Structure formats: structure tokens, C-alpha cells
Amino acid sequence: MSDDAIPAATLVVIRDRPRQAPELLMVTRTRGMAFAGGAMVFPGGRIDKGDRVLAGKPGEAAKIAAVRETLEETGLPVGLRTTPIDTRELQEELVRGAGFADLLDRHGLDLDLPQLVPFARWKPAFHQPRRFDTRFFIARAADGDWPLRPQEGECDAAEWITAADVLARIAAGTASAIFPTVRNLERLAQFGSFEEARDHALAHPVETISPWVEEVNGEKWLRIPDHLGYPVTRERLTDAVRA
């Protein structure tokens, strides 16, 4: 049987704060979206043909997609060697459908893809109308106080928030998130800085995670492997949110 999972990429941008937990860049997807509508997620999206053309090495297309989607969805520059003074025009051109390679060239910008550190790869095995094979990366936020501009029609909000605070919102029922996002938030909540998150990522293998259902004492649980750095590796199937 052919694999119909859509290649995608997601970027977890981490902003350090003195003597406080780091903040993560999160967006809330518009409720009408076919995938994860209304849920809090990290910026990201499909890997497109232009990303593959721009890539110079295997694996770079996913990083390029993560950089492009983050800029398009939030206006935040990440993974660029030179930080632009204002990203509004770049974001607006991307939203209008401008090619990323042409955009970088016209604005004199170069990618700095080593800024992105591989963190995880999730690929649900369940039969759904839309399945994604998503590579997750982490990156340090660029210096400066960048205004966040959620992409109209895609994101209702974009914000800096700690992993613990997102999890608290989910527990209180004031926010929702799909199963992979929750597991990644729990993993990220362990770290007090970007360096800690990076070191942890480098110390664990990035293997494709395809959650499976396991029955224990008559109760069904959604499971993931135990050796990939996640502090929580199972959730009751009735509680898990999938989209």
C-alpha cells in the first residue's frame, strides 16, 4: 500500500528569559481549518516543491519549510544569517504566494539552517483524511522584540508562552492541542533554557513516532516509544485529541 502521508515540518522557537522558564512561539489555528482547527500548535506546514529546489543537501527541505512557514504564519524571522529590519513585507509577500527563494534573493537574505536542531519526527499510522509525516526542529529566537502577526485565515493568534502555561490551559479546558503537541510540550517543559533543550535533543535519537493503541486491564491507551526523551509516553485513548 502506498504511503499517503504528507511531508511537513514544524519549528519550536525558544526564547530564553533570565531566571524564568523559556517561552515558546505558539499559534492558535483558525477553527475552520481542516487539520487541528482551533488547536494550539507550533508554526509549520507542508514541505513544498520550492523548498526542495532551494535545498542543497538531503534533509534541508524540511528545515527550509519550517523557516518559511514560521515567517508566513507569525512574521518571526528564524534561521536567517542576517536578520531583516522589518519582516512585514516578507510575510505579506509569502502570504500572496511569492516563491521563498526569490524572496530571499530580492531582499539579500541567506538561510542559516544549522540554527535548526532536529527534535522529533511524528507520523500517525491511523487512517485519517489527512495524515502528515512531520519533522520537528527547535531553534533559538532571534534577538530583539519582534512583533508577532498571526496570518489571517490560518491563525487566530500568535504568542510567546511557556510550555507549562500551555499545558495548564489545556488541563483547564481553555485551550486544546492534538496528541503530538501535548507530548512535545511535556518534553519541552523539562528545560530551563534553549541550551538544555538542544543538549537533550542531541542526546536522543530522532526516530519516526507512530503512536499505537495498547489495551491494559481492559482500558485502551495511546502509546509512543519510551526511549526518545518524552516524560509521558501514554494517554488514555478517550482523552487523546487527534485531528
Side-chain angles (χ1 to χ4, degrees):
M1 186 175 73
S2 63
D3 186 351
D4 59 351
I6 301 167
T10 287
L11 184 55
V12 180
V13 187
I14 301 174
R15 184 169 74 172
D16 284 334
R17 300 186 299 164
R19 297 177 297 280
Q20 298 182 75
E23 293 177 319
L24 313 176
L25 177 62
M26 302 280 303
V27 299
T28 301
R29 288 175 61 82
T30 301
R31 288 197 174 276
M33 300 296 291
F35 178 79
M40 294 188 73
V41 299
F42 306 108
R46 301 181 187 217
I47 302 170
D48 65 22
K49 181 179 179 181
D51 301 325
R52 296 186 179 92
V53 171
L54 187 55
K57 299 177 182 177
E60 283 191 348
K63 289 187 174 183
I64 293 168
V67 170
R68 173 180 55 77
E69 288 283 349
T70 300
L71 180 58
E72 183 173 350
E73 291 185 354
T74 70
L76 187 74
V78 185
L80 300 175
R81 187 163 289 112
T82 302
T83 305
I85 297 174
D86 185 1
T87 61
R88 184 179 297 275
E89 184 179 351
L90 295 171
Q91 183 183 20
E92 290 176 350
E93 290 189 60
L94 280 174
V95 171
R96 290 196 297 266
F100 195 34
D102 178 61
L103 196 64
L104 294 172
D105 184 61
R106 285 191 286 107
H107 289 268
L109 299 172
D110 294 315
L111 292 167
D112 187 9
L113 298 180
Q115 289 186 29
L116 278 66
V117 178
F119 189 69
R121 182 177 182 178
W122 285 72
K123 181 181 176 183
F126 302 103
H127 294 292
Q128 301 177 54
R130 188 171 298 179
R131 292 195 309 121
F132 291 92
D133 179 359
T134 306
R135 296 177 185 269
F136 286 74
F137 301 95
I138 60 172
R140 187 196 304 272
D143 292 335
D145 187 16
W146 294 91
L148 299 179
R149 297 182 295 271
Q151 181 185 354
E152 187 176 352
E154 294 272 348
C155 308
D156 286 342
E159 60 186 304
W160 291 105
I161 185 169
T162 67
D165 284 344
V166 182
L167 291 168
R169 286 188 193 177
I170 295 168
T174 59
S176 67
I178 60 176
F179 183 79
T181 304
V182 175
R183 298 288 83 82
N184 280 305
L185 285 167
E186 291 163 344
R187 185 178 175 187
L188 291 159
Q190 301 175 101
F191 312 127
S193 65
F194 170 76
E195 285 81 4
E196 288 184 17
R198 179 197 59 205
D199 292 347
H200 187 270
L202 294 175
H204 291 81
V206 174
E207 299 176 3
T208 302
I209 300 174
S210 295
W212 70 93
V213 176
E214 184 175 275
E215 187 168 322
V216 180
N217 297 325
E219 192 169 28
K220 291 184 177 180
W221 296 78
L222 194 59
R223 285 288 318 274
I224 63 173
D226 293 323
H227 66 287
L228 300 179
Y230 289 86
V232 179
T233 58
R234 69 175 191 167
E235 184 176 1
R236 287 182 177 85
L237 187 60
T238 53
D239 296 335
V241 178
R242 301 196 302 276

